[in-house]
């Protein structure tokens, strides 16, 4: 499933809409952004891109590994991470299992607490390939097709309902018309 999903995410990233404004970061792009943010913080003479970088990104070091995060405000209690393409499947899989194969809306709510750049398209692609979710997916019932009967004369047709009450008869009466 992991290989299949990585292929789907790659295809999703290569669509026309996401090529120009991709939310998902490759490892190389993430490393470049981390270096750019470090440089922007250390530079004495800042250019507009440095201010933009500091407004949108920050770095958090966890066990010696630098992670790209959303800059925290004083009121924030949770750290919000940017996820890379390689880590996407693992994060989606773990979250999906943690919420008990919950649907798209539950996953979006849970993922938005911890991650910034996971789109609903990524979540939908993941859920479309989850075998357990596909098995429990409700099959759409096709309704009864009603074909109207057109009559030529007034009162030439009639309709009546027959209700079966054989399980609770009223004396000899087992039906209601």
């Amino acid at each position: 499933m992991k290989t299949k999903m990585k292929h789907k995410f790659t295809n999703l990233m290569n669509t026309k809409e996401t090529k120009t404004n991709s939310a998902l970061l490759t490892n190389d792009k993430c490393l470049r952004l981390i270096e750019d943010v470090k440089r922007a913080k250390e530079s004495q003479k800042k250019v507009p891109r440095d201010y933009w970088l500091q407004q949108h990104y920050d770095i958090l070091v966890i066990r010696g590994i630098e992670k790209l995060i959303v800059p925290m405000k004083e009121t924030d209690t949770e750290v919000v991470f940017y996820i890379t393409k390689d880590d996407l499947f693992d994060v989606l899989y773990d979250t999906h299992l943690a919420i008990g194969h919950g649907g798209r809306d539950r996953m979006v709510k849970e993922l938005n607490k911890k991650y910034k750049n996971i789109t609903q398209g990524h979540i939908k692609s993941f859920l479309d390939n989850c075998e357990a979710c596909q098995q429990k997916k409700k099959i759409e019932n096709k309704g009864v097709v009603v074909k109207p009967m057109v009559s030529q004369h007034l009162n030439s047709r009639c309709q009546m309902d027959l209700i079966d009450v054989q399980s609770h008869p009223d004396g000899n009466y087992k039906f209601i018309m």
Side-chain angles (χ1 to χ4, degrees), residues 26-36 66 68 84:
T26 62
N27 281 339
D28 293 336
K29 188 173 182 179
C30 186
L31 292 174
R32 276 186 270 133
L33 278 170
I34 289 172
E35 292 304 318
D36 289 347
E66 296 175 324
L68 202 59
T84 61

Side-chain angles (χ1 to χ4, degrees), residues 162-177:
L162 184 63
I163 301 171
D164 183 3
V165 289
Q166 290 183 32
S167 59
H168 303 293
D170 183 19
N172 292 333
Y173 301 106
K174 298 177 184 171
F175 297 96
I176 301 172
M177 186 182 322

Side-chain angles (χ1 to χ4, degrees), residues 2-149:
K2 187 173 186 173
T3 310
K4 185 178 177 182
M5 288 306 299
K6 283 191 176 192
H7 180 69
K8 284 213 179 257
F9 292 145
T10 303
N11 289 343
L12 188 63
M13 284 182 68
N14 291 333
T15 60
K16 186 177 180 182
E17 300 87 34
T18 56
K19 263 188 182 178
T20 56
N21 190 15
S22 177
L24 201 55
L25 302 172
T26 62
N27 281 339
D28 293 336
K29 188 173 182 179
C30 186
L31 292 174
R32 276 186 270 133
L33 278 170
I34 289 172
E35 292 304 318
D36 289 347
V37 170
K38 281 187 203 174
R39 184 189 45 74
K41 284 183 174 184
E42 295 170 357
S43 82
Q44 297 298 323
K45 186 177 180 185
K46 297 191 187 303
V47 294
R49 176 157 169 78
D50 293 339
Y51 292 109
W52 183 87
L53 284 168
Q54 286 182 328
Q55 185 179 11
H56 289 87
Y57 302 106
D58 202 357
I59 301 169
L60 179 66
V61 180
I62 302 173
R63 296 184 193 138
I65 300 172
E66 296 175 324
K67 299 280 188 174
L68 202 59
I69 65 169
V70 174
M72 294 186 70
K73 297 177 180 132
E74 293 175 13
T75 58
D76 292 342
T77 57
E78 295 284 327
V79 177
V80 180
F81 293 90
Y82 283 93
I83 192 94
T84 61
K85 178 183 168 186
D86 292 341
D87 298 332
L88 180 63
F89 175 81
D90 296 327
V91 167
L92 289 174
Y93 184 77
D94 293 341
T95 303
H96 189 57
L97 290 181
I99 61 173
H101 288 279
R104 182 197 68 211
D105 294 339
R106 285 184 60 201
M107 280 192 70
V108 167
K109 184 177 178 182
E110 194 67 29
L111 290 168
N112 283 342
K113 293 177 188 176
K114 299 176 188 172
Y115 302 101
K116 175 73 174 171
N117 58 332
I118 298 177
T119 64
Q120 285 191 12
H122 298 131
I123 295 169
K124 185 179 181 317
S125 294
F126 179 83
L127 292 175
D128 288 345
N129 291 293
C130 178
E131 291 177 12
C133 291
Q134 293 305 314
Q135 288 175 353
K136 72 176 188 178
K137 199 173 198 178
K138 188 173 145 182
I139 298 171
E140 187 176 318
N141 292 335
K142 295 186 178 180
V144 178
V145 179
V146 177
K147 185 176 178 184
M149 290 189 262

